[in-house]
Amino acid sequence: MLSSAPKLCVDDVSMTFKTSAGVFHALAPVTLSIPQGRFVSLIGPSGCGKSTIFNIIAGLLEPTGGRVMIDGADATGTIGRVGYMLQKDLLLPWRTVLDNTVLGMEIQGVPLREARARSLPLLQRYGLAGFEYLYPNALSGGMRQRAALLRTLLFDTDLILLDEPFGALDAQTKLQMQEWLMQLWSDFGKTVLFVTHDVEEAIYLSDEVHVMGTRPGRIIATIPIPLPRPRLRMSSLTAEFVAIKQRCLAMLTVEGAAQETMNQAA
Ligand code: ADP
Ligand code: MG
């Protein structure tokens, strides 16, 4: 019974913040159901509540309403159930790349020597050979993100949350990182929930894209991405890809226009 449950269920989750300016309704009830092994993206305008949903799933924030279910069990407000890469890479500057990537394992109680022995071959296999003993400030933006992502994957959970991991990278590096992430996803078989504001990136990577609207944050469309895998870079030029992109952009634009009308009325 439990094995047939989705990996993750965000069940009618809402969030209200109390601020000095009053009550702020950040999330209307949001419901998401994500099967094991899928790659699912959330896209939406800045401030629509993407990071808030992630903080709630990670158990860092208690929702005002609703529940988070992982493998069919209530995980609301429980930390340690997901690997979470925050919008900032948060590598520790005083630790080498290798010792940054073992952090999650250390927290889970794996002895340091064993954690290093597990991590080292992965660093070498996934593009960080020669960087193992350098400190983060000696690395380029792309290499830092690789280290932060590997650290998240090495945290021994099968659900991971990635909040705009490539948002600050230049266009060329970003494309390389997308290929790299696809390789890791297929090798590790994890369930990934991914936040981006780049529509093309969301489509290229995902099995399903949820488009969010703002004020309060909510899901306004769920768009399946039936493009075959492995995906080729050129697939973003196909009629099928372009049609999906148009649909996503239309949802975001409709939402933007509606918001503008509301602002004018206010
Ligand atoms: P996104 O990640 O989609 O850009 P966030 O989830 O960071 O959006 O924020 C959603 C909204 O909730 C924003 O308007 C933000 O200012 C507000 N918000 C987030 N955290 C807090 C908080 N702790 N207190 C008050 N408001 C918050
Ligand atoms: Mg955010």
Side-chain angles (χ1 to χ4, degrees), residues 34 62 78 108 120 124 132 142 185 191 202 208 213 215 221 237:
I34 299 176
E62 283 269 1
T78 311
Q108 288 169 326
L120 204 52
Q124 287 161 0
E132 304 89 329
W185 176 62
T191 307
E208 190 169 68
R215 290 205 191 173
L237 303 173

Side-chain angles (χ1 to χ4, degrees), residues 123-135:
L123 291 179
Q124 287 161 0
R125 175 151 176 217
Y126 291 107
L128 286 161
F131 296 87
E132 304 89 329
Y133 301 103
L134 296 183
Y135 289 87

Side-chain angles (χ1 to χ4, degrees), residues 21 24 50 63 86 89 103 116 118 121 139 154 156 181 184-185 192 225 241 252:
F24 179 72
K50 304 178 295 294
L86 298 157
D89 72 35
L103 203 61
R116 284 182 178 145
R118 252 197 249 173
L139 267 57
L154 281 163
D156 203 11
L181 177 61
L184 262 96
W185 176 62
V192 177
I225 315 293
F241 193 108
L252 291 168

Side-chain angles (χ1 to χ4, degrees), residues 215-230:
R215 290 205 191 173
R218 68 209 184 284
I219 290 170
I220 54 174
T222 294
I223 300 175
I225 315 293
L227 304 170
R229 292 183 188 271

